[in-house]
Amino acid sequence: MNMADRIQYLRKTRGISQETLADQVGVSRQAVSRWESEQSTPDLEKIVLMSDFFGVTTDYILKGIEPAEDKEQKNKEIAGKTLYIASTAFVAIGLFCAFGGWYEEQTMEAIWGSMMIQAIGIAGYFIGKLFSNEKAPFLVDWLNIVGMAFMPVSMLTGWISGFVFRRGGWIAPYPIGLYHTIVFLLFFSAVCVISFVLVRKQTQ
């Protein structure tokens, strides 16, 4: 990656246009375009301004040399983001394992292991938060909450439907029967909407 590529990478990583960068360093948009296409190179004053704006060293812009602590932080960020994604995958895997285990055996013992898989996923999520300074993506937060809530809500609504309607009261990881499904949909829809609103507020 040469200097032109690094300038373009920094700009696109921050999600800003050539015009915005040009305004920040006091040049025209065409000048930034020429820097990024290797038609010209910025002078030292502009490199210093860009390093301040992007929060990197001038050595990084000029030579691609990153401070050791920056590399370590980047590695932590990557590890954190990987754990965020893996946590959602574990929650989903645990959910599907519970479905399969219950379908085969209809016993609580069949789904304890699935709950442990989900617990590992949530633990990974919080470990990811320790590694990464950034907030988890909105969708990851919301899917984890929804995925973890599915089985408890199904079991609770199974008990409620059995108690209220005297039928279909399976305390199962997924709704069974008409009454259980109706009560489940009411409760689970509320959980989805409330969690969506709360997570959206936290990630804004």
Side-chain angles (χ1 to χ4, degrees):
M1 186 185 287
N2 56 31
M3 183 165 65
D5 293 332
R6 285 190 291 275
I7 292 171
Q8 187 178 65
Y9 169 77
L10 288 168
R11 178 178 64 77
K12 289 186 174 180
T13 300
R14 300 306 189 281
I16 62 173
S17 65
Q18 289 182 339
E19 187 173 0
T20 300
L21 176 57
D23 290 341
Q24 290 294 325
V25 297
V27 297
S28 66
R29 186 199 63 78
Q30 289 77 11
V32 174
S33 178
R34 288 195 295 271
W35 295 345
E36 294 184 357
S37 60
E38 297 185 82
Q39 295 177 30
S40 66
T41 56
D43 58 36
L44 188 57
E45 179 190 356
K46 304 306 179 188
I47 291 172
V48 171
L49 288 172
M50 280 191 288
S51 72
D52 289 340
F53 177 64
F54 289 124
V56 297
T57 62
T58 54
D59 277 346
Y60 174 74
I61 296 176
L62 288 166
K63 303 176 184 178
I65 299 172
E66 297 183 66
E69 59 269 19
D70 286 354
K71 289 182 180 179
E72 184 179 348
Q73 184 59 37
K74 277 191 176 182
N75 289 336
K76 287 184 177 181
E77 293 291 333
I78 292 170
K81 289 176 181 178
T82 302
L83 284 169
Y84 282 151
I85 295 169
S87 69
T88 307
F90 271 96
V91 169
I93 290 168
L95 200 57
F96 289 120
C97 286
F99 293 170
W102 181 266
Y103 182 80
E104 290 291 328
E105 302 180 28
Q106 285 84 48
T107 62
M108 287 300 296
E109 288 77 10
I111 62 174
W112 288 129
S114 304
M115 290 181 171
M116 289 300 297
I117 293 173
Q118 287 197 320
I120 290 170
I122 294 302
Y125 169 82
F126 285 108
I127 293 171
K129 289 185 79 70
L130 293 176
F131 278 128
S132 178
N133 291 326
E134 298 178 9
K135 293 181 178 179
F138 163 76
L139 193 59
V140 169
D141 275 342
W142 186 64
L143 286 177
N144 279 338
I145 293 172
V146 169
M148 285 295 292
F150 192 98
M151 280 195 286
V153 171
S154 177
M155 293 175 183
L156 175 63
T157 53
W159 178 83
I160 291 173
S161 63
F163 180 78
V164 174
F165 300 108
R166 304 297 180 185
R167 62 179 73 185
W170 286 88
I171 302 178
Y174 55 84
I176 298 173
L178 178 62
Y179 292 99
H180 186 180
T181 301
I182 291 171
V183 178
F184 169 81
L185 289 175
L186 289 172
F187 276 75
F188 192 66
S189 297
V191 169
C192 289
V193 171
I194 292 170
S195 62
F196 183 93
V197 172
L198 292 177
V199 173
R200 175 61 74 186
K201 284 183 177 179
Q202 289 182 350
T203 53
Q204 284 179 343

